[in-house]
Amino acid sequence: MGRANQKRAGLQTFVGISMFAASVGLGIGTSSAQQLVARADHQQQYTPAKPSMKPGVTTVAAASTVPVSTSDVKPIRRPQPSKGPYYVDFRARTAASYGHAFIWFGKTSEKQVEVAGLHPAGDTLPYILGHLMWVPSETGASYGDLDEEYLTASYRVYLSEADAKKVFTYIKHLQATSPIWNAETTNCTAFIGRIASFMGLKVPFHLIKPEEYVNQLKALNGGRQTVQLDSDR
């Protein structure tokens, strides 16, 4: 029995020495082995997956994660039509009766405007007689033409400098050759209609109220804001 115990004790001693030698030879202890196992688990848990080799998937992922700087985004600039430095503004305003039609014309960079319109010369009596016969007229500004508070309709059209010279010359000529006024024939709407026709615009029938006339003038021409005269003008 003593010899058997000695053999068992010797075997246990040999196993213990072998395990110790193995641990020393590998350069780790029991605690170090446990740390290596834990570290391996940690790395396996947080190691990022390899990117897909498919180009489509990679491109989409990159595009979705790269922020776009707002400074790099440039607004789309659409070309704006040139309106021209001159204008003719067809206007209508309130009056004691059914209103009055006239025009403003001038240069866009200047506040001062010129006014042209056909109306009876004098006060109430010429206006009343003008519904029965022809009466003397005036073709400049009348009371209220420069006051925005009386304005009921407006249609402004822009011109180049070359075309404006021709139109403005025609307006001056029309003012100088319109000595009479009549409510049914040579009235204010017919007067501004002749100017619009010279500019190549479509014009409505003149026997309507000034406000309606200006609005229809704009509608007939599609609200266009620029006019270019024909070469024969």
Side-chain angles (χ1 to χ4, degrees):
M1 292 294 294
R3 185 176 295 178
N5 290 335
Q6 290 177 358
K7 289 182 178 182
R8 184 179 301 171
L11 181 60
Q12 291 177 350
T13 301
F14 176 78
V15 172
I17 294 172
S18 300
M19 293 180 63
F20 176 78
S23 63
V24 171
L26 293 175
I28 58 175
T30 304
S31 60
S32 298
Q34 291 176 351
Q35 292 176 1
L36 286 175
V37 172
R39 184 179 302 171
D41 291 340
H42 178 77
Q43 291 177 349
Q44 184 176 2
Q45 181 177 358
Y46 291 97
T47 300
K50 295 182 179 180
S52 172
M53 297 304 293
K54 296 180 180 180
V57 175
T58 305
T59 303
V60 172
S64 62
T65 56
V66 177
V68 179
S69 175
T70 55
S71 60
D72 296 335
V73 179
K74 297 182 179 180
I76 299 174
R77 295 182 178 179
R78 295 180 174 86
Q80 298 295 327
S82 177
K83 291 184 177 180
Y86 295 87
Y87 68 90
V88 173
D89 194 344
F90 300 91
R91 300 167 74 86
R93 64 165 175 82
T94 59
S97 56
Y98 40 76
H100 178 54
F102 57 101
I103 65 164
W104 282 6
F105 61 103
K107 193 172 183 179
T108 55
S109 59
E110 298 176 357
K111 292 183 178 181
Q112 184 177 0
V113 300
E114 294 191 68
V115 181
L118 184 65
H119 53 90
D123 204 352
T124 306
L125 182 59
Y127 172 77
I128 296 174
L129 292 176
H131 287 74
L132 304 173
M133 55 186 291
W134 286 273
V135 296
S137 70
E138 293 178 350
T139 56
S142 60
Y143 178 79
D145 289 354
L146 295 174
D147 297 322
E148 294 287 345
E149 59 183 306
Y150 300 127
L151 186 69
T152 57
S154 174
Y155 174 40
R156 178 168 293 200
V157 181
Y158 295 90
L159 303 159
S160 66
E161 183 175 0
D163 286 344
K165 289 181 179 179
K166 298 177 182 179
V167 172
F168 294 177
T169 298
Y170 177 77
I171 294 172
K172 299 291 187 181
H173 169 75
L174 194 60
Q175 287 180 292
T177 57
S178 301
I180 56 175
W181 180 88
N182 179 265
E184 294 185 359
T185 56
T186 54
N187 60 11
C188 61
T189 51
F191 181 84
I192 70 170
R194 292 178 66 180
I195 299 171
S197 295
F198 181 86
M199 295 169 61
L201 298 172
K202 299 177 182 179
V203 298
F205 184 56
H206 71 281
L207 287 181
I208 56 177
K209 293 181 178 181
E211 180 181 355
E212 295 177 11
Y213 188 91
V214 173
N215 288 331
Q216 285 191 27
L217 177 65
K218 183 176 182 179
L220 283 173
N221 294 280
R224 58 186 292 192
Q225 293 185 308
T226 58
V227 165
Q228 184 175 1
L229 268 61
D230 294 334
S231 57
D232 59 346
R233 290 295 189 186

